[in-house]
DNA sequence: TGTATTTTGTGAATTGTTTCACAATAGATC
DNA sequence: GATCTATTGTGAAACAATTCACAAAATACA
């Protein structure tokens, strides 16, 4: 779009943070701008892509193709972020018949496929009850990172990274904030 | 299950935090245990339900019934957390024909339904491009809290709460952590 | 009933993060 | 090319969160 320069306050406005925050973070990662001249968009974008490893694609698998698993696997914009879903898995044989657009593999093929594609990260979208069991299996196959959508704390060796995404919490937190805001407001009536 | 008492370290273990953290948080909200006797499960659960308003159900709507919106609206465990999805909306007329289990309403009925059910919180799962526009509409109808799944910073009045859930970020962060862990490890070889 | 033990509750210390404030300087202006 | 101005980069200050450490109290047990 012809924009060659951006300033810390421009980026801060778009990101909803302060300009100081932007500069401190950039400084932390060695991103340098020009005093008075701001940051050059091209080199800034490249630097960010390197920092977030978006320049190299990462192969990931989705395990559990229910409501959430299907939604995630159909999302097309992951590619632009270096996230490459190479295969999806489910225990339910009914899901293996690819009536839908996406091929779902049986759990028996997890090992073969993760090895073939060098997969180290899995998205776990199975029910609460089977989460730990499937997690153990993934860890055994060499998975080193898990995005866990089930509301349980997974037990993993220290060399495995888990990021818990709890959508109920996310919604509840908004409900709570709204309640609190209203309560505060009614104090002034 | 017959458990009448829990200790800060029990809860901490399950939650993946320190016992001090648990006690400090409880203390902040006036939850009292017995020295040596721990916390009584029953009264603790009740206290938590009150703090998180889980005793009162909250009516919410889902706007945008694509991949994510459908997954969210089919999730049955929200009810147990006081989250009650009363209706779902989409601009696409094809979605209104309830071929699926869930009735999807046209956007024209948003006002009527949010008013009828006293809805103050909305889950926004529309494409990036229309997120701000739909957000404005929601705010106009009196919505006070938004769980935003689109990767844009919504502009809202100060009295509206927005919680941004960025699933690409969640996955990317795991990929990054795994990369960094591997890099560290290879320093020791 | 008295003593030992366990666990809470919380100030104080530590650690971490954000904001402030301003010197350094690249670029704009004349 | 001299001067003015806007913006960076970053120590220092302020603020926030976590951990430490231990007195107080409840329970267990002799
Ligand atoms: N859908 C949501 O909006 C939502 C919201 C909050 C939390 N979650 C959590 O996300 C997870 C997935 O939710 P969902 O709604 O997609 O559930 P779902 O029941 O629709 O799907 C789960 C899928 O996992 C498969 N599965 C079960 N056991 C398996 C195993 N051992 N190995 C492989 N696959 C197995 C099932 O066949 C099913 O297809 C759950 O833990 C849920 O609690 C979902
Ligand atoms: N699906 C995922 O896994 C995923 C991952 C990361 C981010 N997201 C984000 O979540 C949002 C939803 O993703 P999705 O995959 O469900 O998208 P989608 O395209 O499948 O669904 C979007 C839905 O919104 C409806 N819509 C469009 N404009 C509308 C309007 N003005 N009013 C009402 N409805 C409208 C469409 O008809 C469609 O049904 C997007 O912003 C996306 O970037 C999704």
């Amino acid at each position: 779009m012809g924009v060659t320069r951006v300033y810390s306050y421009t980026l801060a406005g778009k990101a909803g943070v302060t300009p100081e925050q932007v500069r401190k973070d950039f400084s932390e990662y060695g991103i340098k701008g020009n005093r008075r001249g701001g940051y050059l968009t091209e080199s800034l974008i490249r630097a960010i892509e390197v920092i977030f490893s978006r320049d190299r694609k990462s192969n990931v698998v989705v395990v559990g193709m229910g409501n959430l698993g299907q939604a995630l696997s159909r999302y097309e914009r992951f590619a632009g972020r270096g996230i490459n879903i190479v295969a999806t898995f489910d225990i339910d044989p009914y899901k293996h018949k690819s009536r839908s657009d996406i091929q779902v593999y049986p759990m028996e093929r997890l090992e073969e496929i993760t090895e073939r594609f060098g997969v180290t990260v899995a998205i776990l979208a199975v029910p609460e009850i089977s989460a730990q069991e499937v997690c153990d299996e993934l860890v055994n196959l060499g998975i080193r990172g898990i995005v866990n959508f089930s509301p349980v704390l997974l037990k993993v060796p220290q060399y495995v990274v888990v990021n818990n995404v709890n959508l109920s919490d996310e919604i509840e937190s908004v409900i709570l904030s709204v309640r609190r805001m209203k309560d505060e407001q009614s104090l002034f009536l």
Side-chain angles (χ1 to χ4, degrees), chain A:
Chain A
M1 292 168 79
V3 181
T4 60
R5 301 185 144 161
V6 280
Y7 307 107
S8 58
Y9 58 83
T10 330
L11 296 169
K14 289 285 171 190
V17 297
T18 62
E20 293 83 5
Q21 192 76 262
V22 170
R23 297 206 298 274
K24 258 268 168 10
D25 287 356
F26 282 4
S27 160
E28 175 76 19
Y29 284 93
I31 293 178
K32 301 248 176 255
N34 299 328
R35 291 179 199 240
R36 168 105 203 210
Y39 302 88
L40 294 171
T41 47
E42 254 187 70
S43 65
L44 178 59
I45 289 168
R46 264 199 305 277
I48 289 172
E49 279 174 348
V50 170
I51 289 166
F52 290 100
S53 295
R54 288 183 192 160
D55 47 341
R56 289 233 151 260
K57 297 253 168 291
S58 237
N59 289 336
V60 309
V61 291
V62 174
V63 183
M65 282 295 277
N67 298 318
L68 253 187
Q70 284 179 40
L72 293 165
S73 65
R74 289 205 187 102
Y75 188 60
E76 281 150 12
R77 287 187 149 75
F78 284 138
R81 290 285 292 269
I83 300 165
N84 187 27
I85 297 179
V86 293
T88 68
F89 298 86
D90 202 290
I91 203 176
D92 179 3
Y94 181 69
K95 294 232 161 61
H96 304 148
K97 300 174 190 116
S98 64
R99 62 205 146 82
S100 70
D101 29 349
I102 295 143
Q103 171 73 33
V104 179
Y105 292 100
M107 295 300 282
E108 290 72 33
R109 298 199 59 192
L110 240 182
E111 180 160 23
E112 170 208 337
I113 291 168
T114 52
E115 267 175 29
R116 174 139 52 97
F117 290 99
V119 175
T120 54
V121 170
I123 297 170
L124 187 60
V126 301
E128 204 173 334
I129 191 81
S130 31
Q132 183 61 61
E133 174 198 326
V134 179
C135 169
D136 292 345
E137 194 177 341
L138 290 167
V139 170
N140 273 327
L141 296 180
I143 292 295
R144 302 289 297 270
I146 295 173
V147 185
N148 173 35
F149 283 92
S150 76
V152 283
L153 191 77
L154 299 172
K155 280 192 188 170
V156 293
Q158 337 82 287
Y159 60 82
V160 175
V161 175
V162 177
N163 185 8
N164 296 300
V165 180
N166 190 319
L167 299 179
S168 304
D169 285 353
E170 300 292 348
I171 298 169
E172 185 175 73
S173 101
V174 172
I175 291 173
L176 275 177
S177 301
V178 170
R179 281 237 169 93
R180 274 204 274 268
M181 268 200 162
K182 282 192 188 170
D183 290 350
E184 268 177 45
Q185 198 182 47
S186 64
L187 290 177
F188 296 103
L189 298 181

